Amino acid sequence: MATVLTGGTVVNATGSSRADVRIEGEKITSIGVNLCREADQQIDVTGCYLFPGGIDPHTHFDLSVGATVTADNFESGTRAAAVGGTTTVIDFATQNKGETLAQAIANWHAKADGQSFIDYGFHIAISDLNQTVLDELSSIVEQCGVTSVKLYMAYKRVLQIDDGALLRTLQMAKELGVLVCVHAENGDVIDVLVEEAKALGHRAPKYHALTRPVAAEREAIHRAISLAEIADAPLYVVHVSSGEGLGVIRAARTRGLKIYGETCPQYLLLDDSRYEIDDFSAAKFVMSPPLRSPENNDQLWAGLRSGDLATVGSDHCSFNLAGQKELGRDDFSRIPNGGPGVENRFGLLYTYGVVAGKIDIHQFVDITSTNAAKLFGLYPQKGLIAPGSDADIVVWDPAAQPVISARTQKQRVDYNLYEGFRQQGIARHVFLRGRQIVRDGVVGDVPFGHYLKRQPHVVKESHQCSSSR
Ligand code: URP
Ligand code: ZN
């Protein structure tokens, strides 16, 4: 059956045009004028934008952090993503100590398969790095289509790796076409600062932020980039929170290094005044890196405009305030780190980016979809509205004005970081590989999402991520 979306404006990273879009099966078959004669079904989308489905390259669904497990699993998390305009997530399949990478990926398939409302791929997050694990990397690329690895320079005694291990991984990854992603904060330094704060009797959530200074991020980004340079390997820095961290990335890119930065809506739109709330509810904002002072917001927007930051991920890692964040009521270092956001990433970037004039509508497509597809081996299957690409399309109605609230969200968590924020526009309809999964803002009941085997990362000569612009 062929469906034609008529009367909308197709927006890609490279340009936009008023055009009909014809979908047949899972693919877009043509884009042009008067295509409705070739349709079994016609949907009038006059006044709407047609965006490539959002790709969120940074989610943590169904993740155990020792004392507790994230509030959202694949079922609730991807349902929320769909309603917000995201049609693909790349989640972090996280290795438990002693496990092989194949076991970790099998665990993640058990969590996700048959549960997901949108398509999904996995990065492998390594917690136990040794030669056997490194030797396994080539088989997870070939057999599982997992072509990105995450390493943590923070979370000492839990996830943190040392510099030698990071260098060895970068060297191996380069050979295999694997993109190394780093959580760049200096975990040794943070560990000392946390112990000092606790010895002084500091217990409140704000000490989470005070013990993770910008310098600990800036230093770790600089070190990770230096190791990538030594290995001559590309590097993706996740959740960049500070202008100083961005400055290090910009300097490296200016020298031609293949360094890609990701930031998150919370670092663009929220700031460290949230930690000044005098009660424990400040724990909602406990995440790593923490929220920074307001001037960082503007610096990060500038990084998106210049292309030095390639993507915006949600870093969705949700814990209820009641019963989960509360584990750290008497000790900030026991508050589970992370916040929700997979549902809001796309709409926030449209509203506070495009409508507010901080980025243009094509940059919006790049940072919410196209660049992630290119970096993580999904392009042009995803991240593009063009004949032959998957029919992952968000019909965005720019006239609607919902207000974000935990009371109405699909995320299964008892708060929203952006409570009370007005959003301009909604995902009126969403198509996933040709199937309508959101109709008039309402998500369906059947989890149609497929696992995505991804292509190896290709190092481009140009250091601009968006090769097509
Ligand atoms: O606080 C955060 N960001 N939690 C999620 C895990 C990570 O560091 O990405
Ligand atoms: Zn992280």
Side-chain angles (χ1 to χ4, degrees):
M1 186 177 90
T3 300
V4 173
L5 308 178
T6 59
T9 300
V10 177
V11 189
N12 278 310
T14 45
S16 23
S17 61
R18 288 285 299 274
D20 298 345
V21 176
R22 183 175 186 275
I23 301 167
E24 187 158 8
E26 300 200 334
K27 299 289 180 187
I28 296 165
T29 53
S30 48
I31 299 174
V33 286
N34 296 329
L35 298 183
C36 41
R37 274 170 278 154
E38 304 164 31
D40 302 301
Q41 185 197 9
Q42 182 184 332
I43 302 176
D44 182 0
V45 295
T46 302
C48 293
Y49 293 116
L50 305 185
F51 293 128
I55 301 175
D56 188 338
H58 193 148
T59 62
H60 300 275
F61 297 143
D62 212 343
L63 174 69
S64 170
V65 291
T68 191
V69 180
T70 54
D72 281 297
N73 57 17
F74 274 86
E75 188 269 321
S76 65
T78 60
R79 189 192 284 270
V83 94
T86 290
T87 54
T88 297
V89 287
I90 311 178
D91 199 77
F92 288 94
T94 303
Q95 176 203 29
N96 295 313
K97 290 209 189 292
E99 254 176 14
T100 64
L101 301 185
Q103 280 166 338
I105 290 166
N107 293 344
W108 247 255
H109 276 295
K111 294 168 193 268
D113 295 353
Q115 304 298 313
S116 185
F117 285 80
I118 59 174
D119 284 355
Y120 55 98
F122 301 144
H123 313 276
I124 182 80
I126 300 181
S127 68
D128 195 2
L129 189 59
N130 53 48
Q131 195 55 47
T132 318
V133 165
L134 277 181
D135 289 342
E136 215 196 326
L137 263 184
S138 67
S139 70
I140 66 147
V141 172
E142 279 156 31
Q143 289 165 27
C144 311
V146 172
T147 55
S148 44
V149 167
K150 184 179 184 187
L151 296 177
Y152 290 87
M153 300 169 81
Y155 303 127
K156 193 170 164 74
R157 290 178 293 277
V158 186
L159 293 164
Q160 186 176 327
I161 46 94
D162 64 27
D163 293 349
L166 176 51
L167 179 65
R168 283 213 307 277
T169 308
L170 285 159
Q171 290 166 333
M172 175 75 86
K174 187 197 170 188
E175 298 306 314
L176 299 172
V178 164
L179 183 58
V180 175
C181 309
V182 279
H183 173 133
E185 289 183 292
N186 185 322
D188 286 348
V189 165
I190 289 166
D191 195 53
V192 170
L193 297 179
V194 168
E195 288 316 312
E196 285 176 357
K198 291 207 288 190
L200 290 169
H202 297 320
R203 295 285 179 253
K206 71 176 177 190
Y207 290 99
H208 171 80
L210 293 172
T211 54
R212 304 184 90 95
V214 164
E217 181 182 54
R218 187 194 63 220
E219 183 279 330
I221 293 176
H222 189 277
R223 186 159 33 103
I225 290 175
S226 303
L227 298 180
E229 183 175 8
I230 291 164
D232 189 24
L235 179 75
Y236 180 90
V237 184
V238 301
H239 52 46
V240 176
S241 67
S242 63
E244 289 189 27
L246 165 64
V248 180
I249 293 172
R250 181 179 290 127
R253 288 171 56 80
T254 304
R255 292 195 294 121
L257 300 182
K258 308 293 184 285
I259 310 297
Y260 306 101
E262 170 198 272
T263 190
C264 311
Q266 53 271 33
Y267 303 122
L268 294 163
L269 299 173
L270 305 175
D271 63 58
D272 57 2
S273 61
R274 302 285 176 152
Y275 299 117
E276 296 306 326
I277 310 166
D278 243 0
D279 65 40
F280 183 71
S281 67
K284 292 187 227 172
F285 303 95
V286 166
M287 59 187 68
S288 297
L291 302 177
R292 305 298 190 186
S293 60
E295 60 269 22
N296 290 278
N297 300 150
D298 286 339
Q299 291 162 352
L300 295 172
W301 282 114
L304 289 170
R305 279 194 296 279
S306 67
D308 291 312
L309 294 172
T311 63
V312 176
S314 66
D315 193 6
H316 182 100
C317 189
S318 58
F319 299 100
N320 291 309
L321 183 61
Q324 295 196 293
K325 293 280 184 181
E326 273 178 350
L327 293 166
R329 187 170 272 286
D330 301 317
D331 176 354
F332 69 89
S333 70
R334 292 184 184 277
I335 299 169
N337 284 202
V342 72
E343 183 167 344
N344 309 116
R345 180 190 70 112
F346 198 85
L348 287 169
L349 265 288
Y350 178 77
T351 307
Y352 296 95
V354 178
V355 178
K358 300 217 187 266
I359 51 173
D360 71 37
I361 203 162
H362 306 294
Q363 289 169 324
F364 165 77
V365 172
D366 249 342
I367 64 182
T368 57
S369 181
T370 310
N371 281 343
K374 287 179 178 172
L375 289 169
F376 292 110
L378 292 170
Y379 191 83
Q381 178 190 355
K382 308 280 190 194
L384 177 69
I385 298 184
S389 292
D390 283 359
D392 293 353
I393 299 172
V394 177
V395 178
W396 188 258
D397 176 352
Q401 289 193 318
V403 175
I404 295 174
S405 174
R407 286 188 301 282
T408 50
Q409 71 184 359
K410 295 283 180 221
Q411 297 172 148
R412 196 183 295 153
V413 58
D414 63 3
Y415 73 96
N416 188 299
L417 290 173
Y418 311 97
E419 187 71 34
F421 276 47
R422 187 171 289 283
Q423 182 173 298
Q424 187 70 48
I426 56 161
R428 168 87 43 217
H429 307 302
V430 179
F431 293 83
L432 174 70
R433 283 179 285 100
R435 242 184 244 270
Q436 190 164 359
I437 58 167
V438 172
R439 191 180 301 270
D440 279 319
V442 179
V443 64
D445 288 332
V446 185
F448 287 115
H450 281 178
Y451 175 68
L452 297 166
K453 281 190 167 182
R454 295 181 290 116
Q455 299 299 311
H457 174 78
V458 179
V459 176
K460 291 266 167 25
E461 273 321 301
S462 158
H463 69 271
Q464 291 300 326
C465 179
S466 186
S467 56
S468 49
R469 299 178 85 207

